[in-house]
Amino acid sequence: MNIALFALGGTISVSGRAKGERLTGAEITAAVPGLDGLGAALDAQDIHAVPSGSLTFAQVLDVVEAASRAVAEGAVGVVVTQGTDTLEETAFLVDLVWRHEAPFVLTGAMRQPGMAGADGPANVLAAARVAASPAARGLGALVAFNDEVHAARWVRKSHSTSTATFASPNAGPTGHVIEGEVRILAAPPRRTAILQAGFDRARLDAARVALHCVTLDDDGTQLEGLADTYGGLVVAGFGVGHVPASLAPVLGALADRIPVVLTSRTGSGPVLRHTYTAPGWETDLQRRGLINGGLLDPYKARVLLRLLLTAGAGRDEVAAAFAEHGH
């Protein structure tokens, strides 16, 4: 029995040696005590060794393809080590396309290997335990961090330096690693996979999605000409999905040309559907053609919308997908 481990870059791989030199996957796993007690060997491979802020959609999908091959060859689960800056987005991207029962577990570190209290080894051990656990099968992409297990759909990086940075504000952890045992407490429901037959790289590159965070006295100037260069827009609105009244017609005009998804910039909680009705509020914006993002935060909504556009989805299909994944 083996677990496929794919090492990208990030804090967990900072070597402390020559500038820019990174630890390999084999070196990362060599520093983890307790792996020999898993009952499964880790097959470490290095792939796209870049900081997570420099990762692309295509590179993440490359990792998914490599992981799929590993599962087809007998791996019981997958672990990916990467930087934490975009981990919540890469995890959700994986979750939207992962079609296997085998767990796909992402992890990383907040402290470099040479620092006191480095958290990378403990996180890798927890991730490997989750990847090998029958309890985690069928749950899609998961994040193992600080001995907590989070569903990709809910997890967020909540602190810039804390080793307990990953949290799921809307749902709480899916499970925990306790005394070496993986305990799943609230299994996330699985959703329809996107890009089930693979992806077209040219279409992926062309599926550009903008993200606009609404701010006080926002007049929409930044949105001028956006529909000429982008195929979709995610709006991070106030509270339950509100924008200044003067911005509403600007967004409505964009929604006539491209899919525009309404989310909340708050970090947790839903966009409402029919509670407030004044100009610029959620009922008015939906009437103007904006698509309700539900419980998805702006960053995850952007991931979903880009995949949908890559798959050639029209507005009705986009709305249906957000109704499912944002619920």
Side-chain angles (χ1 to χ4, degrees):
M1 185 168 74
N2 75 295
I3 297 167
L5 182 143
F6 297 92
L8 283 70
T11 296
I12 195 170
S13 68
V14 173
S15 70
R17 301 190 293 252
K19 184 177 181 180
E21 187 176 349
R22 302 187 181 280
L23 298 177
T24 65
E27 289 173 319
I28 291 172
T29 57
V32 181
L35 285 178
D36 55 353
L38 280 177
L42 260 68
D43 177 15
Q45 304 175 48
D46 300 297
I47 183 170
H48 298 311
V50 296
S52 68
S54 296
L55 282 172
T56 67
F57 272 59
Q59 288 174 328
V60 175
L61 293 172
D62 284 343
V63 175
V64 171
E65 288 187 348
S68 293
R69 289 194 295 270
V71 169
E73 293 168 1
V76 297
V78 176
V79 172
V80 169
T81 63
Q82 67 159 85
T84 60
D85 285 346
T86 62
L87 195 149
E88 64 192 84
E89 291 166 84
T90 59
F92 187 56
L93 173 53
V94 171
D95 195 56
L96 289 171
V97 300
W98 187 246
R99 302 184 298 279
H100 305 281
E101 288 291 302
F104 192 116
V105 190
L106 298 95
T107 194
M110 294 299 291
R111 293 175 181 163
Q112 297 177 16
M115 291 181 173
D119 55 329
N123 289 337
V124 171
L125 180 59
R129 283 174 168 156
V130 175
S133 173
R137 292 187 65 81
L139 302 186
L142 301 165
V143 172
F145 221 93
N146 199 39
D147 280 341
E148 293 183 338
V149 183
H150 293 271
R153 181 164 168 263
W154 300 120
V155 72
R156 295 199 66 175
K157 186 174 182 179
S158 65
H159 195 282
S160 61
T161 60
S162 171
T163 55
T165 182
F166 285 101
S168 297
N170 283 320
T174 286
H176 301 266
V177 180
I178 302 171
E179 295 183 320
E181 179 187 352
V182 177
R183 302 187 188 180
I184 300 299
L185 307 179
R190 297 297 293 138
R191 311 290 184 180
T192 303
I194 311 295
L195 298 181
Q196 296 194 49
F199 69 102
D200 183 315
R201 289 180 182 272
R203 181 170 282 186
L204 176 66
D205 291 340
R208 304 179 67 202
V209 176
L211 171 59
H212 179 73
C213 183
V214 179
T215 55
L216 180 68
D217 201 21
D218 192 335
D219 62 3
T221 300
Q222 294 179 354
L223 301 174
E224 291 179 0
L226 185 141
D228 296 328
T229 53
Y230 286 88
L233 169 66
V234 173
V235 177
F238 303 130
V240 297
H242 296 169
V243 305
S246 60
L247 187 57
V250 176
L251 294 175
L254 284 169
D256 287 338
R257 299 182 60 189
I258 59 175
V260 178
V261 178
L262 179 64
T263 65
S264 172
R265 71 177 197 174
T266 59
S268 62
V271 169
L272 295 182
R273 297 183 180 277
H274 48 70
T275 298
Y276 298 96
T277 59
W281 293 355
E282 79 279 356
T283 304
D284 172 61
L285 294 173
Q286 290 170 137
R287 191 182 305 118
R288 296 175 187 270
L290 274 69
I291 296 167
N292 191 302
L295 283 159
L296 290 180
D297 64 51
Y299 314 112
K300 291 187 174 68
R302 180 178 174 272
V303 171
L304 176 55
L305 182 54
R306 187 171 179 189
L307 282 187
L308 290 167
L309 294 179
T310 299
R315 190 195 180 284
D316 290 345
E317 294 168 297
V318 170
F322 272 93
E324 176 185 0
H325 291 273
H327 180 68

